[in-house]
Amino acid sequence: MILLDTAPVVALCDPRDALNRRALRDLDRLAREPFVLCLPVLTEACFLLSHRVQRERLRRFVAEFSVAAYRSEDESRLWFEVFDWLIQYQDHDPDWADGYLAVVSAKERGSRVWTYDGEFRTTWRRPDGTRIPLAVS
């Protein structure tokens, strides 16, 4: 399972994005695995993809690649785990989506995060301190 971060989603939906070509190449390699999108990432992506055509591309991507919505059995508990993670990394100014992905990656042990955010390589860890597995290097 591939947990999607905001930057690849935006890059796939905006041909003018600096990461568009890289995202398309990575998509070719990763498309055989199931994609999962969490609500914080979708919210950020919709904010950044403000034009109708961009949101249509996002809708098409979700449909064509059967992107699943992440569902937690206890969303309220998950929120508190994300708050705890944010407090742990407060010196690095993480955002909610990063914390959400870090916590979810610990819950979904077979998952990898598709991100272009360098902090996932250098700084962010799962709540237990282990590295977050990445889909691309």
Side-chain angles (χ1 to χ4, degrees):
M1 162 195 318
I2 304 292
L3 297 168
L4 298 166
D5 194 12
T6 307
V9 172
V10 169
L12 289 169
C13 298
D14 184 357
R16 298 169 301 149
D17 189 284
L19 293 168
N20 176 262
R21 287 186 184 174
R22 179 178 178 187
L24 290 171
R25 283 192 307 269
D26 290 337
L27 178 63
D28 282 341
R29 282 189 313 104
L30 300 172
R32 288 173 285 290
E33 297 185 52
F35 292 124
V36 175
L37 187 60
C38 63
L39 193 54
V41 170
L42 180 60
T43 302
E44 275 188 350
C46 284
F47 175 78
L48 295 169
L49 298 168
S50 58
H51 300 290
R52 179 177 168 218
V53 67
Q54 294 168 324
R55 290 183 178 177
E56 287 172 352
R57 286 187 192 113
L58 176 57
R59 186 181 192 289
R60 218 169 29 251
F61 168 69
V62 168
E64 287 178 17
F65 288 90
S66 301
V67 176
Y70 181 75
R71 298 193 198 303
S72 171
E73 289 184 20
D74 187 349
E75 191 72 17
S76 295
R77 181 177 175 172
L78 177 59
W79 291 355
F80 284 103
E81 292 177 44
V82 174
F83 280 126
D84 291 343
W85 187 92
L86 291 171
I87 291 166
Q88 180 180 350
Y89 287 95
Q90 66 188 354
D91 292 345
H92 301 281
D93 198 29
D95 64 32
W96 183 261
D98 291 341
Y100 202 97
L101 287 170
V103 171
V104 168
S105 77
K107 294 182 176 305
E108 304 296 333
R109 281 298 179 168
S111 67
R112 296 183 296 150
V113 176
W114 180 5
T115 185
Y116 298 129
D117 187 341
E119 282 92 357
F120 278 91
R121 287 172 193 72
T122 62
T123 308
W124 307 154
R125 298 290 182 262
R126 291 173 164 169
D128 66 2
T130 60
R131 289 188 173 275
I132 298 168
L134 303 177
V136 298
S137 51

mmCIF file with all atom_site columns, all heavy atoms in Angstrom, residues 36-40 69-82 100 103-104 107-108:
data_model
loop_
_atom_site.group_PDB
_atom_site.id
_atom_site.type_symbol
_atom_site.label_atom_id
_atom_site.label_alt_id
_atom_site.label_comp_id
_atom_site.label_asym_id
_atom_site.label_entity_id
_atom_site.label_seq_id
_atom_site.pdbx_PDB_ins_code
_atom_site.Cartn_x
_atom_site.Cartn_y
_atom_site.Cartn_z
_atom_site.occupancy
_atom_site.B_iso_or_equiv
_atom_site.pdbx_formal_charge
_atom_site.auth_seq_id
_atom_site.auth_comp_id
_atom_site.auth_asym_id
_atom_site.auth_atom_id
_atom_site.pdbx_PDB_model_num
ATOM 1   N N   . VAL A 1 36  ? -3.463  4.905  -1.354 1.00 0.00 ? 36  VAL A N   1
ATOM 2   C CA  . VAL A 1 36  ? -4.366  5.298  -0.288 1.00 0.00 ? 36  VAL A CA  1
ATOM 3   C C   . VAL A 1 36  ? -4.157  6.784  -0.019 1.00 0.00 ? 36  VAL A C   1
ATOM 4   O O   . VAL A 1 36  ? -3.022  7.256  0.077  1.00 0.00 ? 36  VAL A O   1
ATOM 5   C CB  . VAL A 1 36  ? -4.117  4.472  0.993  1.00 0.00 ? 36  VAL A CB  1
ATOM 6   C CG1 . VAL A 1 36  ? -4.985  4.961  2.137  1.00 0.00 ? 36  VAL A CG1 1
ATOM 7   C CG2 . VAL A 1 36  ? -4.359  2.993  0.719  1.00 0.00 ? 36  VAL A CG2 1
ATOM 8   N N   . LEU A 1 37  ? -5.262  7.484  0.086  1.00 0.00 ? 37  LEU A N   1
ATOM 9   C CA  . LEU A 1 37  ? -5.240  8.936  0.295  1.00 0.00 ? 37  LEU A CA  1
ATOM 10  C C   . LEU A 1 37  ? -5.964  9.250  1.591  1.00 0.00 ? 37  LEU A C   1
ATOM 11  O O   . LEU A 1 37  ? -7.097  8.812  1.793  1.00 0.00 ? 37  LEU A O   1
ATOM 12  C CB  . LEU A 1 37  ? -5.935  9.614  -0.887 1.00 0.00 ? 37  LEU A CB  1
ATOM 13  C CG  . LEU A 1 37  ? -5.901  11.115 -1.006 1.00 0.00 ? 37  LEU A CG  1
ATOM 14  C CD1 . LEU A 1 37  ? -4.474  11.642 -1.116 1.00 0.00 ? 37  LEU A CD1 1
ATOM 15  C CD2 . LEU A 1 37  ? -6.701  11.544 -2.233 1.00 0.00 ? 37  LEU A CD2 1
ATOM 16  N N   . CYS A 1 38  ? -5.283  9.976  2.462  1.00 0.00 ? 38  CYS A N   1
ATOM 17  C CA  . CYS A 1 38  ? -5.940  10.371 3.713  1.00 0.00 ? 38  CYS A CA  1
ATOM 18  C C   . CYS A 1 38  ? -6.525  11.772 3.546  1.00 0.00 ? 38  CYS A C   1
ATOM 19  O O   . CYS A 1 38  ? -6.074  12.563 2.716  1.00 0.00 ? 38  CYS A O   1
ATOM 20  C CB  . CYS A 1 38  ? -4.979  10.280 4.890  1.00 0.00 ? 38  CYS A CB  1
ATOM 21  S SG  . CYS A 1 38  ? -3.556  11.366 4.811  1.00 0.00 ? 38  CYS A SG  1
ATOM 22  N N   . LEU A 1 39  ? -7.532  12.048 4.333  1.00 0.00 ? 39  LEU A N   1
ATOM 23  C CA  . LEU A 1 39  ? -8.268  13.301 4.216  1.00 0.00 ? 39  LEU A CA  1
ATOM 24  C C   . LEU A 1 39  ? -7.386  14.547 4.374  1.00 0.00 ? 39  LEU A C   1
ATOM 25  O O   . LEU A 1 39  ? -7.554  15.505 3.616  1.00 0.00 ? 39  LEU A O   1
ATOM 26  C CB  . LEU A 1 39  ? -9.439  13.322 5.200  1.00 0.00 ? 39  LEU A CB  1
ATOM 27  C CG  . LEU A 1 39  ? -10.464 14.417 4.981  1.00 0.00 ? 39  LEU A CG  1
ATOM 28  C CD1 . LEU A 1 39  ? -11.005 14.431 3.564  1.00 0.00 ? 39  LEU A CD1 1
ATOM 29  C CD2 . LEU A 1 39  ? -11.604 14.260 5.981  1.00 0.00 ? 39  LEU A CD2 1
ATOM 30  N N   . PRO A 1 40  ? -6.424  14.590 5.308  1.00 0.00 ? 40  PRO A N   1
ATOM 31  C CA  . PRO A 1 40  ? -5.579  15.788 5.389  1.00 0.00 ? 40  PRO A CA  1
ATOM 32  C C   . PRO A 1 40  ? -4.804  16.065 4.096  1.00 0.00 ? 40  PRO A C   1
ATOM 33  O O   . PRO A 1 40  ? -4.649  17.220 3.693  1.00 0.00 ? 40  PRO A O   1
ATOM 34  C CB  . PRO A 1 40  ? -4.632  15.489 6.552  1.00 0.00 ? 40  PRO A CB  1
ATOM 35  C CG  . PRO A 1 40  ? -5.375  14.519 7.395  1.00 0.00 ? 40  PRO A CG  1
ATOM 36  C CD  . PRO A 1 40  ? -6.155  13.673 6.421  1.00 0.00 ? 40  PRO A CD  1
ATOM 37  N N   . ALA A 1 69  ? -9.715  5.697  0.099  1.00 0.00 ? 69  ALA A N   1
ATOM 38  C CA  . ALA A 1 69  ? -9.681  6.634  1.222  1.00 0.00 ? 69  ALA A CA  1
ATOM 39  C C   . ALA A 1 69  ? -9.169  5.888  2.447  1.00 0.00 ? 69  ALA A C   1
ATOM 40  O O   . ALA A 1 69  ? -9.577  4.753  2.703  1.00 0.00 ? 69  ALA A O   1
ATOM 41  C CB  . ALA A 1 69  ? -11.077 7.183  1.490  1.00 0.00 ? 69  ALA A CB  1
ATOM 42  N N   . TYR A 1 70  ? -8.276  6.532  3.195  1.00 0.00 ? 70  TYR A N   1
ATOM 43  C CA  . TYR A 1 70  ? -7.826  5.902  4.440  1.00 0.00 ? 70  TYR A CA  1
ATOM 44  C C   . TYR A 1 70  ? -8.945  5.989  5.463  1.00 0.00 ? 70  TYR A C   1
ATOM 45  O O   . TYR A 1 70  ? -9.538  7.042  5.662  1.00 0.00 ? 70  TYR A O   1
ATOM 46  C CB  . TYR A 1 70  ? -6.562  6.560  4.996  1.00 0.00 ? 70  TYR A CB  1
ATOM 47  C CG  . TYR A 1 70  ? -6.127  5.864  6.259  1.00 0.00 ? 70  TYR A CG  1
ATOM 48  C CD1 . TYR A 1 70  ? -5.514  4.620  6.192  1.00 0.00 ? 70  TYR A CD1 1
ATOM 49  C CD2 . TYR A 1 70  ? -6.384  6.408  7.507  1.00 0.00 ? 70  TYR A CD2 1
ATOM 50  C CE1 . TYR A 1 70  ? -5.158  3.940  7.347  1.00 0.00 ? 70  TYR A CE1 1
ATOM 51  C CE2 . TYR A 1 70  ? -6.024  5.733  8.661  1.00 0.00 ? 70  TYR A CE2 1
ATOM 52  C CZ  . TYR A 1 70  ? -5.411  4.506  8.572  1.00 0.00 ? 70  TYR A CZ  1
ATOM 53  O OH  . TYR A 1 70  ? -5.064  3.829  9.713  1.00 0.00 ? 70  TYR A OH  1
ATOM 54  N N   . ARG A 1 71  ? -9.216  4.872  6.104  1.00 0.00 ? 71  ARG A N   1
ATOM 55  C CA  . ARG A 1 71  ? -10.251 4.828  7.129  1.00 0.00 ? 71  ARG A CA  1
ATOM 56  C C   . ARG A 1 71  ? -9.649  4.271  8.417  1.00 0.00 ? 71  ARG A C   1
ATOM 57  O O   . ARG A 1 71  ? -9.083  3.183  8.419  1.00 0.00 ? 71  ARG A O   1
ATOM 58  C CB  . ARG A 1 71  ? -11.405 3.937  6.690  1.00 0.00 ? 71  ARG A CB  1
ATOM 59  C CG  . ARG A 1 71  ? -12.101 4.436  5.448  1.00 0.00 ? 71  ARG A CG  1
ATOM 60  C CD  . ARG A 1 71  ? -13.415 3.732  5.225  1.00 0.00 ? 71  ARG A CD  1
ATOM 61  N NE  . ARG A 1 71  ? -13.987 3.821  3.905  1.00 0.00 ? 71  ARG A NE  1
ATOM 62  C CZ  . ARG A 1 71  ? -14.282 4.918  3.243  1.00 0.00 ? 71  ARG A CZ  1
ATOM 63  N NH1 . ARG A 1 71  ? -13.998 6.065  3.756  1.00 0.00 ? 71  ARG A NH1 1
ATOM 64  N NH2 . ARG A 1 71  ? -14.834 4.874  2.060  1.00 0.00 ? 71  ARG A NH2 1
ATOM 65  N N   . SER A 1 72  ? -9.809  5.035  9.467  1.00 0.00 ? 72  SER A N   1
ATOM 66  C CA  . SER A 1 72  ? -9.344  4.608  10.775 1.00 0.00 ? 72  SER A CA  1
ATOM 67  C C   . SER A 1 72  ? -10.521 4.035  11.553 1.00 0.00 ? 72  SER A C   1
ATOM 68  O O   . SER A 1 72  ? -11.640 4.548  11.458 1.00 0.00 ? 72  SER A O   1
ATOM 69  C CB  . SER A 1 72  ? -8.770  5.807  11.523 1.00 0.00 ? 72  SER A CB  1
ATOM 70  O OG  . SER A 1 72  ? -8.504  5.470  12.858 1.00 0.00 ? 72  SER A OG  1
ATOM 71  N N   . GLU A 1 73  ? -10.257 3.007  12.317 1.00 0.00 ? 73  GLU A N   1
ATOM 72  C CA  . GLU A 1 73  ? -11.317 2.448  13.156 1.00 0.00 ? 73  GLU A CA  1
ATOM 73  C C   . GLU A 1 73  ? -11.693 3.416  14.279 1.00 0.00 ? 73  GLU A C   1
ATOM 74  O O   . GLU A 1 73  ? -12.815 3.382  14.770 1.00 0.00 ? 73  GLU A O   1
ATOM 75  C CB  . GLU A 1 73  ? -10.881 1.110  13.729 1.00 0.00 ? 73  GLU A CB  1
ATOM 76  C CG  . GLU A 1 73  ? -10.815 0.025  12.676 1.00 0.00 ? 73  GLU A CG  1
ATOM 77  C CD  . GLU A 1 73  ? -10.472 -1.325 13.270 1.00 0.00 ? 73  GLU A CD  1
ATOM 78  O OE1 . GLU A 1 73  ? -10.648 -1.521 14.494 1.00 0.00 ? 73  GLU A OE1 1
ATOM 79  O OE2 . GLU A 1 73  ? -10.021 -2.178 12.502 1.00 0.00 ? 73  GLU A OE2 1
ATOM 80  N N   . ASP A 1 74  ? -10.749 4.253  14.696 1.00 0.00 ? 74  ASP A N   1
ATOM 81  C CA  . ASP A 1 74  ? -10.996 5.216  15.764 1.00 0.00 ? 74  ASP A CA  1
ATOM 82  C C   . ASP A 1 74  ? -10.315 6.533  15.400 1.00 0.00 ? 74  ASP A C   1
ATOM 83  O O   . ASP A 1 74  ? -9.192  6.804  15.817 1.00 0.00 ? 74  ASP A O   1
ATOM 84  C CB  . ASP A 1 74  ? -10.481 4.679  17.098 1.00 0.00 ? 74  ASP A CB  1
ATOM 85  C CG  . ASP A 1 74  ? -10.851 5.556  18.278 1.00 0.00 ? 74  ASP A CG  1
ATOM 86  O OD1 . ASP A 1 74  ? -11.335 6.689  18.064 1.00 0.00 ? 74  ASP A OD1 1
ATOM 87  O OD2 . ASP A 1 74  ? -10.646 5.112  19.423 1.00 0.00 ? 74  ASP A OD2 1
ATOM 88  N N   . GLU A 1 75  ? -10.999 7.331  14.588 1.00 0.00 ? 75  GLU A N   1
ATOM 89  C CA  . GLU A 1 75  ? -10.426 8.578  14.088 1.00 0.00 ? 75  GLU A CA  1
ATOM 90  C C   . GLU A 1 75  ? -10.068 9.539  15.232 1.00 0.00 ? 75  GLU A C   1
ATOM 91  O O   . GLU A 1 75  ? -9.040  10.196 15.184 1.00 0.00 ? 75  GLU A O   1
ATOM 92  C CB  . GLU A 1 75  ? -11.397 9.252  13.114 1.00 0.00 ? 75  GLU A CB  1
ATOM 93  C CG  . GLU A 1 75  ? -10.803 10.406 12.348 1.00 0.00 ? 75  GLU A CG  1
ATOM 94  C CD  . GLU A 1 75  ? -9.801  10.010 11.268 1.00 0.00 ? 75  GLU A CD  1
ATOM 95  O OE1 . GLU A 1 75  ? -9.778  8.834  10.863 1.00 0.00 ? 75  GLU A OE1 1
ATOM 96  O OE2 . GLU A 1 75  ? -9.033  10.888 10.844 1.00 0.00 ? 75  GLU A OE2 1
ATOM 97  N N   . SER A 1 76  ? -10.883 9.594  16.266 1.00 0.00 ? 76  SER A N   1
ATOM 98  C CA  . SER A 1 76  ? -10.594 10.489 17.394 1.00 0.00 ? 76  SER A CA  1
ATOM 99  C C   . SER A 1 76  ? -9.280  10.119 18.072 1.00 0.00 ? 76  SER A C   1
ATOM 100 O O   . SER A 1 76  ? -8.472  10.993 18.394 1.00 0.00 ? 76  SER A O   1
ATOM 101 C CB  . SER A 1 76  ? -11.727 10.455 18.421 1.00 0.00 ? 76  SER A CB  1
ATOM 102 O OG  . SER A 1 76  ? -12.900 10.965 17.864 1.00 0.00 ? 76  SER A OG  1
ATOM 103 N N   . ARG A 1 77  ? -9.063  8.840  18.269 1.00 0.00 ? 77  ARG A N   1
ATOM 104 C CA  . ARG A 1 77  ? -7.797  8.405  18.870 1.00 0.00 ? 77  ARG A CA  1
ATOM 105 C C   . ARG A 1 77  ? -6.629  8.742  17.952 1.00 0.00 ? 77  ARG A C   1
ATOM 106 O O   . ARG A 1 77  ? -5.579  9.185  18.404 1.00 0.00 ? 77  ARG A O   1
ATOM 107 C CB  . ARG A 1 77  ? -7.847  6.915  19.154 1.00 0.00 ? 77  ARG A CB  1
ATOM 108 C CG  . ARG A 1 77  ? -6.575  6.427  19.786 1.00 0.00 ? 77  ARG A CG  1
ATOM 109 C CD  . ARG A 1 77  ? -6.619  4.987  20.141 1.00 0.00 ? 77  ARG A CD  1
ATOM 110 N NE  . ARG A 1 77  ? -5.293  4.616  20.631 1.00 0.00 ? 77  ARG A NE  1
ATOM 111 C CZ  . ARG A 1 77  ? -5.025  3.479  21.159 1.00 0.00 ? 77  ARG A CZ  1
ATOM 112 N NH1 . ARG A 1 77  ? -5.963  2.573  21.309 1.00 0.00 ? 77  ARG A NH1 1
ATOM 113 N NH2 . ARG A 1 77  ? -3.812  3.198  21.564 1.00 0.00 ? 77  ARG A NH2 1
ATOM 114 N N   . LEU A 1 78  ? -6.817  8.535  16.666 1.00 0.00 ? 78  LEU A N   1
ATOM 115 C CA  . LEU A 1 78  ? -5.777  8.857  15.694 1.00 0.00 ? 78  LEU A CA  1
ATOM 116 C C   . LEU A 1 78  ? -5.413  10.337 15.785 1.00 0.00 ? 78  LEU A C   1
ATOM 117 O O   . LEU A 1 78  ? -4.239  10.697 15.752 1.00 0.00 ? 78  LEU A O   1
ATOM 118 C CB  . LEU A 1 78  ? -6.228  8.483  14.284 1.00 0.00 ? 78  LEU A CB  1
ATOM 119 C CG  . LEU A 1 78  ? -5.276  8.823  13.140 1.00 0.00 ? 78  LEU A CG  1
ATOM 120 C CD1 . LEU A 1 78  ? -3.928  8.149  13.311 1.00 0.00 ? 78  LEU A CD1 1
ATOM 121 C CD2 . LEU A 1 78  ? -5.898  8.436  11.812 1.00 0.00 ? 78  LEU A CD2 1
ATOM 122 N N   . TRP A 1 79  ? -6.407  11.207 15.910 1.00 0.00 ? 79  TRP A N   1
ATOM 123 C CA  . TRP A 1 79  ? -6.133  12.645 16.031 1.00 0.00 ? 79  TRP A CA  1
ATOM 124 C C   . TRP A 1 79  ? -5.211  12.929 17.212 1.00 0.00 ? 79  TRP A C   1
ATOM 125 O O   . TRP A 1 79  ? -4.268  13.700 17.089 1.00 0.00 ? 79  TRP A O   1
ATOM 126 C CB  . TRP A 1 79  ? -7.418  13.423 16.216 1.00 0.00 ? 79  TRP A CB  1
ATOM 127 C CG  . TRP A 1 79  ? -8.321  13.483 15.041 1.00 0.00 ? 79  TRP A CG  1
ATOM 128 C CD1 . TRP A 1 79  ? -8.096  12.999 13.780 1.00 0.00 ? 79  TRP A CD1 1
ATOM 129 C CD2 . TRP A 1 79  ? -9.625  14.056 15.022 1.00 0.00 ? 79  TRP A CD2 1
ATOM 130 N NE1 . TRP A 1 79  ? -9.178  13.235 12.987 1.00 0.00 ? 79  TRP A NE1 1
ATOM 131 C CE2 . TRP A 1 79  ? -10.132 13.884 13.724 1.00 0.00 ? 79  TRP A CE2 1
ATOM 132 C CE3 . TRP A 1 79  ? -10.411 14.673 15.972 1.00 0.00 ? 79  TRP A CE3 1
ATOM 133 C CZ2 . TRP A 1 79  ? -11.389 14.333 13.349 1.00 0.00 ? 79  TRP A CZ2 1
ATOM 134 C CZ3 . TRP A 1 79  ? -11.670 15.129 15.613 1.00 0.00 ? 79  TRP A CZ3 1
ATOM 135 C CH2 . TRP A 1 79  ? -12.143 14.958 14.313 1.00 0.00 ? 79  TRP A CH2 1
ATOM 136 N N   . PHE A 1 80  ? -5.481  12.304 18.347 1.00 0.00 ? 80  PHE A N   1
ATOM 137 C CA  . PHE A 1 80  ? -4.639  12.548 19.523 1.00 0.00 ? 80  PHE A CA  1
ATOM 138 C C   . PHE A 1 80  ? -3.224  12.014 19.319 1.00 0.00 ? 80  PHE A C   1
ATOM 139 O O   . PHE A 1 80  ? -2.251  12.614 19.783 1.00 0.00 ? 80  PHE A O   1
ATOM 140 C CB  . PHE A 1 80  ? -5.292  11.977 20.785 1.00 0.00 ? 80  PHE A CB  1
ATOM 141 C CG  . PHE A 1 80  ? -6.423  12.838 21.263 1.00 0.00 ? 80  PHE A CG  1
ATOM 142 C CD1 . PHE A 1 80  ? -7.728  12.465 21.037 1.00 0.00 ? 80  PHE A CD1 1
ATOM 143 C CD2 . PHE A 1 80  ? -6.175  14.049 21.903 1.00 0.00 ? 80  PHE A CD2 1
ATOM 144 C CE1 . PHE A 1 80  ? -8.785  13.273 21.446 1.00 0.00 ? 80  PHE A CE1 1
ATOM 145 C CE2 . PHE A 1 80  ? -7.213  14.868 22.323 1.00 0.00 ? 80  PHE A CE2 1
ATOM 146 C CZ  . PHE A 1 80  ? -8.527  14.476 22.092 1.00 0.00 ? 80  PHE A CZ  1
ATOM 147 N N   . GLU A 1 81  ? -3.092  10.916 18.605 1.00 0.00 ? 81  GLU A N   1
ATOM 148 C CA  . GLU A 1 81  ? -1.758  10.408 18.277 1.00 0.00 ? 81  GLU A CA  1
ATOM 149 C C   . GLU A 1 81  ? -1.022  11.382 17.362 1.00 0.00 ? 81  GLU A C   1
ATOM 150 O O   . GLU A 1 81  ? 0.185   11.593 17.514 1.00 0.00 ? 81  GLU A O   1
ATOM 151 C CB  . GLU A 1 81  ? -1.870  9.033  17.630 1.00 0.00 ? 81  GLU A CB  1
ATOM 152 C CG  . GLU A 1 81  ? -2.349  7.961  18.597 1.00 0.00 ? 81  GLU A CG  1
ATOM 153 C CD  . GLU A 1 81  ? -2.535  6.620  17.918 1.00 0.00 ? 81  GLU A CD  1
ATOM 154 O OE1 . GLU A 1 81  ? -1.671  6.210  17.113 1.00 0.00 ? 81  GLU A OE1 1
ATOM 155 O OE2 . GLU A 1 81  ? -3.570  5.973  18.185 1.00 0.00 ? 81  GLU A OE2 1
ATOM 156 N N   . VAL A 1 82  ? -1.752  11.982 16.425 1.00 0.00 ? 82  VAL A N   1
ATOM 157 C CA  . VAL A 1 82  ? -1.136  12.984 15.543 1.00 0.00 ? 82  VAL A CA  1
ATOM 158 C C   . VAL A 1 82  ? -0.758  14.226 16.349 1.00 0.00 ? 82  VAL A C   1
ATOM 159 O O   . VAL A 1 82  ? 0.344   14.775 16.170 1.00 0.00 ? 82  VAL A O   1
ATOM 160 C CB  . VAL A 1 82  ? -2.054  13.340 14.354 1.00 0.00 ? 82  VAL A CB  1
ATOM 161 C CG1 . VAL A 1 82  ? -1.463  14.476 13.527 1.00 0.00 ? 82  VAL A CG1 1
ATOM 162 C CG2 . VAL A 1 82  ? -2.302  12.116 13.482 1.00 0.00 ? 82  VAL A CG2 1
ATOM 163 N N   . TYR A 1 100 ? -0.035  13.080 10.267 1.00 0.00 ? 100 TYR A N   1
ATOM 164 C CA  . TYR A 1 100 ? -1.036  12.048 9.975  1.00 0.00 ? 100 TYR A CA  1
ATOM 165 C C   . TYR A 1 100 ? -0.376  10.884 9.232  1.00 0.00 ? 100 TYR A C   1
ATOM 166 O O   . TYR A 1 100 ? -0.568  9.719  9.586  1.00 0.00 ? 100 TYR A O   1
ATOM 167 C CB  . TYR A 1 100 ? -2.163  12.671 9.155  1.00 0.00 ? 100 TYR A CB  1
ATOM 168 C CG  . TYR A 1 100 ? -3.469  11.940 9.205  1.00 0.00 ? 100 TYR A CG  1
ATOM 169 C CD1 . TYR A 1 100 ? -4.477  12.334 10.079 1.00 0.00 ? 100 TYR A CD1 1
ATOM 170 C CD2 . TYR A 1 100 ? -3.730  10.877 8.352  1.00 0.00 ? 100 TYR A CD2 1
ATOM 171 C CE1 . TYR A 1 100 ? -5.703  11.679 10.112 1.00 0.00 ? 100 TYR A CE1 1
ATOM 172 C CE2 . TYR A 1 100 ? -4.950  10.217 8.379  1.00 0.00 ? 100 TYR A CE2 1
ATOM 173 C CZ  . TYR A 1 100 ? -5.924  10.623 9.263  1.00 0.00 ? 100 TYR A CZ  1
ATOM 174 O OH  . TYR A 1 100 ? -7.144  9.969  9.287  1.00 0.00 ? 100 TYR A OH  1
ATOM 175 N N   . VAL A 1 103 ? 1.966   8.835  11.567 1.00 0.00 ? 103 VAL A N   1
ATOM 176 C CA  . VAL A 1 103 ? 1.224   7.977  12.485 1.00 0.00 ? 103 VAL A CA  1
ATOM 177 C C   . VAL A 1 103 ? 0.559   6.820  11.735 1.00 0.00 ? 103 VAL A C   1
ATOM 178 O O   . VAL A 1 103 ? 0.626   5.664  12.170 1.00 0.00 ? 103 VAL A O   1
ATOM 179 C CB  . VAL A 1 103 ? 0.198   8.807  13.292 1.00 0.00 ? 103 VAL A CB  1
ATOM 180 C CG1 . VAL A 1 103 ? -0.729  7.903  14.094 1.00 0.00 ? 103 VAL A CG1 1
ATOM 181 C CG2 . VAL A 1 103 ? 0.914   9.802  14.200 1.00 0.00 ? 103 VAL A CG2 1
ATOM 182 N N   . VAL A 1 104 ? -0.056  7.116  10.599 1.00 0.00 ? 104 VAL A N   1
ATOM 183 C CA  . VAL A 1 104 ? -0.725  6.059  9.832  1.00 0.00 ? 104 VAL A CA  1
ATOM 184 C C   . VAL A 1 104 ? 0.288   5.037  9.318  1.00 0.00 ? 104 VAL A C   1
ATOM 185 O O   . VAL A 1 104 ? 0.006   3.836  9.295  1.00 0.00 ? 104 VAL A O   1
ATOM 186 C CB  . VAL A 1 104 ? -1.567  6.660  8.686  1.00 0.00 ? 104 VAL A CB  1
ATOM 187 C CG1 . VAL A 1 104 ? -2.029  5.583  7.712  1.00 0.00 ? 104 VAL A CG1 1
ATOM 188 C CG2 . VAL A 1 104 ? -2.766  7.413  9.257  1.00 0.00 ? 104 VAL A CG2 1
ATOM 189 N N   . LYS A 1 107 ? 0.668   2.447  11.800 1.00 0.00 ? 107 LYS A N   1
ATOM 190 C CA  . LYS A 1 107 ? -0.497  1.578  11.943 1.00 0.00 ? 107 LYS A CA  1
ATOM 191 C C   . LYS A 1 107 ? -0.604  0.578  10.788 1.00 0.00 ? 107 LYS A C   1
ATOM 192 O O   . LYS A 1 107 ? -1.067  -0.533 10.972 1.00 0.00 ? 107 LYS A O   1
ATOM 193 C CB  . LYS A 1 107 ? -1.773  2.414  12.021 1.00 0.00 ? 107 LYS A CB  1
ATOM 194 C CG  . LYS A 1 107 ? -1.841  3.264  13.267 1.00 0.00 ? 107 LYS A CG  1
ATOM 195 C CD  . LYS A 1 107 ? -3.131  4.017  13.328 1.00 0.00 ? 107 LYS A CD  1
ATOM 196 C CE  . LYS A 1 107 ? -3.260  4.783  14.611 1.00 0.00 ? 107 LYS A CE  1
ATOM 197 N NZ  . LYS A 1 107 ? -3.114  3.983  15.824 1.00 0.00 ? 107 LYS A NZ  1
ATOM 198 N N   . GLU A 1 108 ? -0.203  1.014  9.617  1.00 0.00 ? 108 GLU A N   1
ATOM 199 C CA  . GLU A 1 108 ? -0.282  0.189  8.404  1.00 0.00 ? 108 GLU A CA  1
ATOM 200 C C   . GLU A 1 108 ? 1.120   -0.289 8.065  1.00 0.00 ? 108 GLU A C   1
ATOM 201 O O   . GLU A 1 108 ? 1.809   0.283  7.227  1.00 0.00 ? 108 GLU A O   1
ATOM 202 C CB  . GLU A 1 108 ? -0.895  0.998  7.254  1.00 0.00 ? 108 GLU A CB  1
ATOM 203 C CG  . GLU A 1 108 ? -2.259  1.578  7.556  1.00 0.00 ? 108 GLU A CG  1
ATOM 204 C CD  . GLU A 1 108 ? -3.322  0.518  7.778  1.00 0.00 ? 108 GLU A CD  1
ATOM 205 O OE1 . GLU A 1 108 ? -3.186  -0.603 7.240  1.00 0.00 ? 108 GLU A OE1 1
ATOM 206 O OE2 . GLU A 1 108 ? -4.280  0.818  8.512  1.00 0.00 ? 108 GLU A OE2 1
#
